[in-house]
Amino acid sequence: MELEGEIREIIYKNELNSYCIANFETSDGEITIVGYLPFINVGDTLKIVGKIVEHQEYGEQFKVDTFEKMMPQSMEALERYLANGTIKGVGPATAKKIIETFGEDTINVFKLEPTKLAQIKGITKDKAYEIAESFIENWEVWQIVGFLEKFGIGPQSAETVYKKLGANAIEEIQSNPYLLVDLINKVDFNQIDKMALDMGMEYDNSKRIKSGIKHAIILATYNGHCAVLYDNLIKFVSNLLGVEEEQIEDAIINMKAKEELIIEDRQKDEWVYLPSYYQAEKNIAEKLIALDTYKNIKEIPRFKKELSLFEKKSNIDLSDKQKEAIESINNHNVCVITGGPGTGKTTIIKTIIELYKHNEMKPVLCAPTGRAAKRMTETTGEEAKTLHRLLEIGSFVSEETQNVNTDLSVVPVDADIIIVDEMSMVDVFLMNYLCKGIYNGTKLVLVGDTDQLPSVGPGNVLKDIIDSETITTITLNKIFRQAAQSKIIMNSHRVNEGEAFISKKEIEEAQDKYLDDFFYIDENDKNKILEQVLSLSYDRLKNYGDYDFLNNIQVITPTKKGELGTKELNKLLQQKINPQDESKKERKFGDSIFRENDRIMQIKNNYEIYWEKRGDSFESGSGIFNGEFGTIKRINEEEKVMEIKFDDEKVAWYGFNELEQIEHAYAITVHKAQGSEFDVVILVIAPSAPMLLTRNLLYTGMTRAKKLLIMIGNKNVLGFMIQNADNKIRNTGIKFKLQQMYK
């Protein structure tokens, strides 16, 4: 649907992403419009395209998909536009004088005869040129949104393009449409390519081939790779663009010469990198070696004696492997501790903390996510921070920039020993930033489980470091007696070995050795699986162990889509756990209804959002990060904000237009659950794409449960997951670089 009219009032505008709510006057009357509207101001005349939507509280609104600015169609509208402050040097009084002086000829004066503006009292000749230049620049900006819409790029991205290319954006894009691939994240290359060809770009144009090469490598990074094989890249780009392989090879040589690509020779194969990915890996390898080979200035003297005294004092009986790990940390500057659940990683961390504090040295604990940091704090009694907070990433750089600029500085960490937990979740860019923040001489301990899912971002840092065999690594494989009583832990280890769960016969023969902390419900029917999930969540577990859903229970599933995916489960669980009630306010956003007392999760990093903690002492700061859980405490319709209290007691306020940052968290995917632990986990074994039904995904999901794990689903799907050890190999280079540098 298309409408033409004028912006009469801007009710709300988010300065970060240009989301607007405005009153829009058309020939048929006034309507509220909502959408991403960069560059618009009161008095602007627009042609908008979108659809009428019915808001449950505010009634009929027009949701704008795209828009085009037009010159005001009447003298009154033109005066309002000139008076709105967008034209440098023109306010309401000057705008009135300009319209009275030039009338219908006003626009021509601005564009063709700017010196005439000097006829107006108070406007010099120089100021006349400034005013006209400002008017024309605004006119150029107007065109960008409509121009980019042809490329399938919405208004939200148009502002990004303008900020990077300026007023000449259209001219530059017409000259090289493939600039958009570099400027906008996850843009549709095929649509841009089609538009470029339609505009007359030749098939074998070097700009097209270079862009196709970059696009191919970027696609690979979305799947966790840092590099691609040279031969595979040539074949893929040839098929993508329909050009000869020789032309692609020539383009790669040219890009390599200009350092737009890096090619790494590894014996028989050549690997092609975008520079930021190569540099991140190189920085990591160089720093790890520099740290490891530096003088051991944080070594504790008479260490074995101190360790023995600590064991007696704390009444802890460390295993030989745990002692080996603790001594290795003392003897080396960089050390990796890896192992599954119940193998004693936490005891090692706690012992190291106490030993170093006893020797008046400062340990610093950190983890990649807020939830993982909170768990680390709970298990050790020592404050742990997220890596983002520790390094103050975000206070000086956007998330997008982090993944392309490897030369940015970070805040150095004041520590004698840094312990990083959940290292399997750390990608190459975050590890690169951590390495930049460590002084030589500081000890670094990397703790994690390589059998869990790899990081969401590119790379496989922990596995690469271990596989390089250049950094001291202690692998914990003994399950401690107390942990061995847990069917959760024992079955997790069995799955990791490709074996079936503990059998009834084994349980009977064990004579009550095992705890009743694991149940598997074999069910094929999707509706019956849903019934089981809902009844367990609502009252059965309350009756079984006094477990309350919002405080103790988490539903986890492999997938977002389908009847057993997070989207459908969240709707059903919300209806069951937190139903509609007159006493609870709610707010519709997209397909979701957010209600007071809802369980939610932050799904993107927001470095700017303000938060407060109110308790024994007041604390405030900024930044809520991807994966943090919270509860909606209050919805304020007057101020149009939602108050959310997160699990670490932070309270933040979200504008109604910012709700794309959160989603319901009654049910979450295994990927989102990684790094977290919950008292009770209901793990849904849902039929899905084979790429999701892997052993390490199952293992990761199972190990999220602390006290009780209930698995529900098809035993054939479960069997497939246990046997499907097809963990996708990631094309990375930290292992190779470490080995080469140590030669």
Side-chain angles (χ1 to χ4, degrees):
M1 186 175 176
E2 188 177 286
L3 296 177
E4 287 186 21
E6 182 186 340
I7 299 287
R8 297 308 300 266
E9 180 188 6
I10 294 177
I11 300 166
Y12 174 85
K13 184 171 185 179
N14 184 311
E15 296 302 328
L16 291 175
N17 63 13
S18 297
Y19 184 89
C20 284
I21 304 170
N23 287 335
F24 188 69
E25 187 175 5
T26 72
S27 57
D28 295 326
E30 199 169 273
I31 189 169
T32 302
I33 63 171
V34 296
Y36 295 101
L37 300 167
F39 322 127
I40 70 118
N41 292 282
V42 172
D44 285 353
T45 300
L46 307 181
K47 181 189 289 182
I48 58 176
V49 178
K51 57 182 176 290
I52 298 286
V53 295
E54 187 70 28
H55 191 280
Q56 62 177 11
E57 293 176 42
Y58 301 115
E60 192 175 83
Q61 297 179 337
F62 190 93
K63 186 178 180 184
V64 180
D65 293 326
T66 189
F67 72 93
E68 178 185 347
K69 278 199 181 188
M70 304 167 66
M71 278 297 179
Q73 302 299 301
S74 68
M75 288 300 99
E76 294 82 4
L78 182 57
E79 183 179 334
R80 283 192 294 270
Y81 168 70
L82 294 175
N84 69 17
T86 57
I87 308 301
K88 187 178 176 183
V90 178
T94 305
K96 188 175 185 64
K97 289 176 186 176
I98 290 172
I99 294 298
E100 287 175 349
T101 304
F102 302 110
E104 298 283 349
D105 204 33
T106 298
I107 290 172
N108 284 331
V109 169
F110 276 114
K111 294 172 76 173
L112 304 173
E113 300 176 282
T115 53
K116 283 189 174 181
L117 292 169
Q119 296 174 20
I120 294 170
K121 190 176 179 180
I123 299 180
T124 64
K125 188 174 179 182
D126 287 343
K127 190 176 180 183
Y129 279 116
E130 280 183 20
I131 291 170
E133 190 177 324
S134 179
F135 181 90
I136 291 165
E137 184 177 320
N138 273 274
W139 171 251
E140 290 292 331
V141 168
W142 287 5
Q143 314 306 307
I144 292 175
V145 175
F147 177 74
L148 290 179
E149 199 267 333
K150 299 172 187 174
F151 293 87
I153 295 169
Q156 194 174 4
S157 297
E159 192 162 22
T160 303
V161 172
Y162 175 69
K163 284 176 180 175
K164 291 180 179 177
L165 296 182
N168 295 324
I170 292 176
E171 187 179 313
E172 289 200 39
I173 293 165
Q174 284 175 329
S175 171
N176 180 14
Y178 299 101
L179 280 173
L180 295 170
V181 176
D182 297 329
L183 294 174
I184 303 171
N185 193 29
K186 296 191 176 180
V187 74
D188 185 343
F189 176 84
N190 291 326
Q191 187 157 3
I192 288 172
D193 190 41
K194 181 180 182 302
M195 285 298 299
L197 293 171
D198 289 346
M199 289 165 61
M201 181 74 72
E202 303 90 350
Y203 259 71
D204 59 356
N205 186 289
S206 62
K207 292 174 183 175
R208 180 172 185 258
I209 295 172
K210 284 183 180 181
S211 186
I213 291 166
K214 280 188 181 179
H215 170 67
I217 302 172
I218 290 167
L219 276 181
T221 67
Y222 295 159
N223 290 319
H225 304 298
C226 293
V228 296
L229 273 169
Y230 181 90
D231 290 342
N232 290 353
L233 176 64
I234 297 288
K235 289 185 177 66
F236 181 88
V237 176
S238 179
N239 290 330
L240 175 72
L241 302 181
V243 297
E244 296 296 324
E245 293 186 2
E246 291 79 7
Q247 293 173 304
I248 301 164
E249 289 176 355
D250 289 343
I252 289 175
I253 291 168
N254 184 271
M255 293 172 79
K256 182 185 175 186
K258 293 179 179 178
E259 297 184 345
E260 295 173 0
L261 293 178
I262 308 289
I263 298 179
E264 184 173 71
D265 271 316
R266 298 187 207 161
Q267 297 167 346
K268 296 178 182 177
D269 296 321
E270 290 182 310
W271 292 88
V272 187
Y273 283 84
L274 293 174
S276 59
Y277 290 79
Y278 178 84
Q279 196 59 50
E281 288 190 343
K282 185 169 179 280
N283 291 349
I284 292 165
E286 286 177 345
K287 186 64 177 187
L288 289 176
I289 292 168
L291 288 170
D292 201 35
T293 54
Y294 199 81
K295 185 179 177 182
N296 190 0
I297 58 176
K298 305 297 182 182
E299 184 178 24
I300 296 174
R302 301 178 299 280
F303 183 77
K304 288 191 177 181
K305 184 178 179 182
E306 285 218 24
L307 182 58
S308 179
L309 288 170
F310 173 79
E311 279 191 274
K312 288 177 184 175
K313 180 183 172 184
S314 306
N315 198 25
I316 293 175
D317 186 18
L318 296 167
S319 71
D320 291 341
K321 204 71 174 174
Q322 285 177 312
K323 288 178 184 176
E324 181 190 347
I326 295 163
E327 287 179 25
S328 292
I329 292 167
N330 190 56
N331 295 336
H332 300 88
N333 288 333
V334 184
C335 206
V336 175
I337 309 296
T338 184
T343 56
K345 296 192 296 293
T346 300
T347 301
I348 291 170
I349 294 172
K350 288 166 76 173
T351 303
I352 287 294
I353 291 168
E354 292 306 316
L355 287 170
Y356 276 80
K357 284 172 71 175
H358 183 257
N359 281 270
E360 298 183 343
M361 285 192 272
K362 182 181 178 181
V364 165
L365 279 61
C366 54
T369 66
R371 189 85 186 189
K374 185 187 179 207
R375 183 161 62 88
M376 200 179 185
T377 300
E378 290 169 348
T379 56
T380 63
E382 192 80 10
E383 184 192 6
K385 294 183 177 181
T386 64
L387 285 164
H388 287 87
R389 281 224 173 86
L390 180 68
L391 302 167
E392 296 185 25
I393 300 171
S395 60
F396 54 83
V397 59
S398 70
E399 185 173 9
E400 181 182 285
T401 306
Q402 288 171 37
N403 290 6
V404 294
N405 192 338
T406 51
D407 295 324
L408 289 167
S409 300
V410 298
V411 176
V413 182
D414 176 22
D416 295 299
I417 181 168
I418 299 170
I419 304 171
V420 189
D421 200 9
E422 295 290 353
M423 261 301 298
S424 63
M425 299 177 71
V426 177
D427 66 27
V428 287
F429 290 108
L430 192 51
M431 186 64 184
N432 176 47
Y433 277 90
L434 172 62
C435 287
K436 282 176 171 289
I438 305 175
Y439 291 112
N440 284 340
T442 302
K443 286 184 177 287
L444 176 63
V445 182
L446 307 175
V447 184
D449 184 351
T450 55
D451 294 315
Q452 288 189 29
L453 293 167
S455 58
V456 174
N460 207 346
V461 176
L462 180 62
K463 190 173 187 302
D464 271 7
I465 293 171
I466 294 170
D467 289 350
S468 74
E469 298 181 352
T470 58
I471 301 296
T472 301
T473 299
I474 307 300
T475 302
L476 305 172
N477 44 33
K478 177 190 173 184
I479 303 172
F480 283 85
R481 184 172 58 83
Q482 188 175 352
Q485 295 175 340
S486 167
K487 282 188 274 187
I488 298 172
I489 290 175
M490 296 307 292
N491 281 329
S492 298
H493 281 278
R494 287 204 172 198
V495 163
N496 202 32
E497 297 297 322
E499 299 173 5
F501 297 151
I502 301 165
S503 66
K504 287 183 180 179
K505 184 179 178 183
E506 287 175 288
I507 293 170
E508 289 168 2
E509 289 174 352
Q511 298 179 347
D512 297 326
K513 167 191 169 183
Y514 292 113
L515 302 171
D516 281 332
D517 62 354
F518 175 93
F519 298 94
Y520 173 62
I521 301 171
D522 181 16
E523 184 56 71
N524 296 333
D525 186 273
K526 288 182 182 179
N527 291 326
K528 289 183 179 177
I529 292 173
L530 286 173
E531 286 175 17
Q532 293 274 13
V533 171
L534 293 173
S535 64
L536 283 163
S537 301
Y538 183 63
D539 55 10
R540 280 165 63 192
L541 287 171
K542 181 78 175 171
N543 298 332
Y544 175 78
D546 197 27
Y547 293 118
D548 173 70
F549 189 92
L550 294 174
N551 294 321
N552 308 106
I553 301 167
Q554 183 62 60
V555 176
I556 301 177
T557 182
T559 180
K560 289 182 178 181
K561 298 176 182 177
E563 295 172 70
L564 299 176
T566 54
K567 292 199 173 185
E568 289 304 314
L569 283 171
N570 270 315
K571 287 178 184 176
L572 294 171
L573 285 163
Q574 183 195 38
Q575 291 169 14
K576 196 78 173 173
I577 307 299
N578 189 31
Q580 189 175 28
D581 188 306
E582 286 183 6
S583 66
K584 290 181 286 195
K585 292 180 181 175
E586 55 185 48
R587 178 80 189 177
K588 192 173 190 300
F589 188 86
D591 296 331
S592 300
I593 295 174
F594 291 109
R595 188 173 293 138
E596 289 176 342
N597 210 37
D598 267 346
R599 191 89 173 113
I600 61 92
M601 175 192 276
Q602 179 82 8
I603 58 171
K604 62 196 292 188
N605 289 337
N606 183 334
Y607 300 93
E608 307 298 331
I609 193 166
Y610 173 79
W611 54 260
E612 294 178 356
K613 281 187 184 181
R614 297 180 183 273
D616 297 334
S617 61
F618 176 80
E619 184 184 349
S620 66
S622 62
I624 306 286
F625 299 104
N626 188 358
E628 295 194 48
F629 290 81
T631 303
I632 297 172
K633 304 306 288 186
R634 196 163 66 97
I635 296 174
N636 187 323
E637 293 294 346
E638 288 183 10
E639 297 181 17
K640 295 183 171 56
V641 295
M642 188 178 288
E643 181 183 312
I644 299 176
K645 186 175 185 180
F646 288 87
D647 285 0
D648 60 357
E649 304 301 316
K650 292 193 305 286
V651 177
W653 293 264
Y654 287 67
F656 285 173
N657 64 303
E658 298 175 310
L659 302 184
E660 78 280 355
Q661 298 179 43
I662 62 171
E663 66 182 21
H664 289 109
Y666 297 100
I668 60 175
T669 62
V670 177
H671 283 87
K672 287 291 187 185
Q674 193 173 0
S676 304
E677 277 189 345
F678 310 92
D679 288 342
V680 180
V681 167
I682 300 170
L683 182 58
V684 180
I685 308 301
S688 188
M691 63 180 290
L692 287 175
L693 300 177
T694 61
R695 181 187 296 173
N696 66 346
L697 184 134
L698 178 62
Y699 171 76
T700 302
M702 292 174 67
T703 52
R704 300 310 91 206
K706 284 196 290 187
K707 297 180 180 178
L708 181 63
L709 172 62
I710 301 169
M711 299 173 65
I712 311 168
N714 186 321
K715 66 180 179 183
N716 293 327
V717 176
L718 176 65
F720 176 82
M721 293 181 81
I722 293 172
Q723 296 307 314
N724 183 18
D726 182 24
N727 302 334
K728 299 296 180 189
I729 294 171
R730 292 188 169 191
N731 300 329
T732 59
I734 292 176
K735 172 185 171 181
F736 173 77
K737 290 175 179 65
L738 281 169
Q739 290 173 337
Q740 289 296 108
M741 291 177 191
Y742 258 112
K743 282 184 179 178

